[in-house]
Amino acid sequence: MFSLAWSTIRARRGGFVAAFVALFSGAAVITASGVLLESGLRAGVTAERYAAATAVVGGRQAHVVAEGPDTPFAERVTLPADVAERVARVPGVAKAVPERTVRVTVPSAAAGVPVYAHGWSSAELAPFSLTGGRQPEAPGEAVLDQALAASAGLSVGDTTTIAVGSVPSEHRVVGLVSAPALTRQSAVFVTDAAAGALTDRITAVGVLGAPGVDADDLAERITSTVTDVPLTAYTGAGIGDVEFLDVGQARSLLTILSSSLMGTVAMVVLFVVSSTLGLSIQQRRRELAVLRAIAATPKQVHRMIGAEMLLVSVAGGVLGSLPGFAVAGLLRDGFAAAGVLPPDFTLAISPLPALAALLLCVLGGLTAGYFAARRLAGANPVDALGEAAVEPADLGTTRRAFGVGFIAVGLVVGTVVPLLVPGIAGMSGAAGSVLLLMVGTAMLGPHLMRVATATAAPLLNRSRISGYLAVANTGANARRLSGAVVPLALAVAMASVQLFTITTADAAAADQVEAGVTADFVLAGPSGLAPEIADAVRRVPGVRHASPVVRSQVLLEQRVFDQVEAEPAAAQGIAPEHVGDTADLGVTSGSLDDVRGDSIALSTAAAESTGVGVGGTVRAFLGDGTGKDLTVVALYANGLGFGDVTASRDLLAAHTATGFDDSVLVSTADGADSAGVGAALGELASKYPGLAVLDRTAFAGAVRDARDQQSSTNLIGNGFLLLYLVIAVVNTLVMATGARRREFAMLRLIGTNRRHVSRMMTLEAGIVVGAAVVIGTTVAVVPLIGISVATTGRVLPTVDPVVYGVMVLLTAVIGFSSIVLATRSALRGRPVDAVGAGA
């Protein structure tokens, strides 16, 4: 059977090459997604400041869930000061070094990697070695790493400014140090007492093990001994997660993103492969009918096609998985450029993603081959010969029923589910309805193509010869053309949903920020603002109110079907006394004046997700993982622009790493000269390193830039999936057109010329492109309405006409160029030779 399959593949290279390309590209896409998923689970970066530690003890940095990946906390989870002493008493621990880390600014240094201050005792964890001077021994003394000192032009004995929370203080450089590796950060060391004055909690505990102690055994011993504090002992490559908080958060985000992406990729690849293989087998109706007529049994036909699909699937899966690793590297670079992954994040490479891609390709190929051949293999030989000559006009009852059913379910999932299931679950359902609708559309595709042909017929018939032929061909070969239209329509639908989901949310957020920020000026700094800055702003003449704002992320418990999940929500901490003078959140019920202590306000979207209204209580995990039951005292509409949770400034700041403000909103007094106040604020800012004064427009732009980073993540993740769809579309259109070489030859032999055939195919391409755009747009409208309702409360999504026009233009270019170029290739040679070859 395999020898027969190989002979068939060699004889019909065109159709099998198209199937191979679909499987090859699909394997590459699946492998790349698998590499990202595996990297999210076990990749990272190498430790620097803790490189010499046997283990490092840190707070539990994620909310543990029973199923699925843990949800990371936004802030560093610190440890009580006595944890170091308790860890030191664990058998096998030679020394436990408490480590305190505070983000600082050295104004004289060139902008680049972040600078952190530490207590001197933690220097041995790298280890740092003195290359000049001595260790710090008194307040106001500092030791700098050599690269930082060179960047700032400092040497031993010089005096420099070091700012904490933009508040400067003078320090004398008493020493310089070097470390084996220090590329992601710069280090400043002060006395342990000075570091303790900056923060009373420990960032981590570096553990130096006794000689001969196994690191993993020691880590397990520490966690089993110190049980009353939620902590984690990191060893090996995992130490980088506790040293660099962004790495652990990036791994969690990559795991969630790649898991979702891989599921979507697998479904889309199987859908495209099934469509391509189905079209390839449909083009062999004549051959399969003859086999049935000469006594081949349905089982033998299925075995032959199964062997063919197995050979093509294995070849495509094996060869396609190899470039998949390179594609994963390109995706990593794209995510790093967007700020989602650290630039030095390394991928985990293993054969598992390639094996998964091969398995999915083989299963997809065999399944697609079985269902594509089922009708002809099971038909009466006489009926099979009839179907080989002319496509059956009607769809089967079962196929019609399933097609209508998929479309009905897609409509419900896309529009009704977001209304009944608020939040992420509802939005995911709306986005997932695209595939349901496309499956239903594919099943009803021949009927839709006949409708499209009938609609275009009056216009096409103006061209008496080519137009008549185009209408006749598309009407008679609706099944074949629907196989070419479906991948193109899927690309239009997925691109529309991805692009216009982003534009809808961004437009609503921009409107809310621009209308909601009523402050005249906004002050912000790169490493936070100490509370004394807000006090200094209040003393500026002409300032009526200065409201500090802390931004963080909290996890809100909510019930999703039968499970309780903790979903992340953007949060801001405010001083409620004067918030009305600096921001308008669009309060719909309750009052922001009551946001004090353990009372909070929720956006209307968050209230719907959690099912909690004014007076209710919601379980929340604050930035550092502290769990609290918070009372809801107000609801507001502008959650996209200001975050879903608004708490008191003191509550949120107490659970951030520094306790500093992120910004200060400033309103001017009535009758005050705004320009004069701005100049005074600018003069004040010059005294605080890194402090910037923004007006309302600049602040709104900064918020948009932050949203753009999130949007680019989604675009990168789905962009390469759309690229795969483009490859699949071109592949399918070229295959469908190239297989008509005999038909073109027959037309030329009965009197039509090359120009008539080319024009006929151009008109057919117009029908294909037009049908794909209409079907894809119609399919996309359904989830976009659901997503718009779920995110903004508006029925109509925000669609950029220029973006949509470009998308339609690209669709036309892909469709017309694929069909027209393939037609030119098929028209080469003498018609008699083509008819003989196809006989």
Side-chain angles (χ1 to χ4, degrees), residues 304-328:
M304 180 189 72
I305 292 177
E308 294 168 359
M309 294 302 101
L310 182 61
L311 290 175
V312 176
S313 299
V314 170
V318 171
L319 296 178
S321 61
L322 299 178
F325 292 99
V327 173

Side-chain angles (χ1 to χ4, degrees), residues 362-410:
V362 171
L363 291 177
L366 292 176
T367 303
Y370 174 81
F371 282 103
R374 187 169 59 92
R375 181 185 181 94
L376 285 171
N380 180 281
V382 176
D383 295 337
L385 284 172
E387 287 192 14
V390 180
E391 283 188 357
D394 295 327
L395 297 176
T397 303
T398 303
R399 179 169 176 169
R400 280 201 307 269
F402 271 100
V404 172
F406 271 107
I407 290 177
V409 173

Side-chain angles (χ1 to χ4, degrees), residues 449-515:
M449 284 307 303
R450 292 190 183 98
V451 172
T453 302
T455 303
L459 180 63
L460 298 181
N461 283 331
R462 294 178 183 178
S463 177
R464 287 168 41 187
I465 298 177
S466 300
Y468 172 80
L469 290 174
V471 172
N473 266 317
T474 52
N477 298 286
R479 288 177 182 267
R480 181 194 65 207
L481 281 180
S482 68
V485 167
V486 166
L488 192 58
L490 178 60
V492 172
M494 293 197 68
S496 298
V497 171
Q498 292 299 323
L499 292 172
F500 300 134
T501 294
I502 293 172
T503 58
T504 298
D506 285 353
D511 291 344
Q512 291 178 11
V513 172
E514 290 175 7

Side-chain angles (χ1 to χ4, degrees), residues 103-105 107 161-169 523-533 660-662 684-692:
R103 177 79 179 267
V104 300
T105 303
T161 298
I162 299 176
V164 180
S166 293
V167 177
S169 60
L523 277 68
S527 56
L529 309 178
E532 72 176 65
I533 292 180
F660 294 156
D661 303 317
D662 286 273
L684 176 68
S686 65
K687 301 177 182 178
Y688 295 94
L691 185 61

Side-chain angles (χ1 to χ4, degrees), residues 251-441:
R251 288 179 60 231
S252 298
L253 176 61
L254 190 60
T255 301
I256 296 171
L257 179 65
S258 57
S259 298
S260 173
L261 186 61
M262 191 169 185
T264 304
V265 163
M267 288 188 290
V268 170
V269 168
L270 292 177
F271 184 84
V272 170
V273 167
S274 299
S275 177
T276 305
L277 292 178
L279 181 59
S280 174
I281 292 174
Q282 282 296 316
Q283 292 174 347
R284 297 170 59 193
R285 296 193 313 272
R286 191 162 176 261
E287 170 194 332
L288 298 178
V290 170
L291 288 175
R292 291 286 288 120
I294 61 176
T297 65
K299 184 176 181 180
Q300 288 173 327
V301 172
H302 277 301
R303 285 181 60 194
M304 180 189 72
I305 292 177
E308 294 168 359
M309 294 302 101
L310 182 61
L311 290 175
V312 176
S313 299
V314 170
V318 171
L319 296 178
S321 61
L322 299 178
F325 292 99
V327 173
L330 295 176
L331 286 173
R332 187 271 316 274
D333 294 341
F335 286 133
V340 178
L341 293 180
D344 54 349
F345 188 88
T346 57
L347 296 177
I349 303 298
S350 80
L352 291 179
L355 292 175
L358 176 61
L359 179 62
L360 286 173
C361 285
V362 171
L363 291 177
L366 292 176
T367 303
Y370 174 81
F371 282 103
R374 187 169 59 92
R375 181 185 181 94
L376 285 171
N380 180 281
V382 176
D383 295 337
L385 284 172
E387 287 192 14
V390 180
E391 283 188 357
D394 295 327
L395 297 176
T397 303
T398 303
R399 179 169 176 169
R400 280 201 307 269
F402 271 100
V404 172
F406 271 107
I407 290 177
V409 173
L411 290 172
V412 172
V413 172
T415 57
V416 178
V417 168
L419 298 177
L420 301 179
V421 183
I424 294 177
M427 289 182 59
S428 300
S433 68
V434 171
L435 288 178
L436 292 173
L437 292 168
M438 283 307 306
V439 170
T441 300

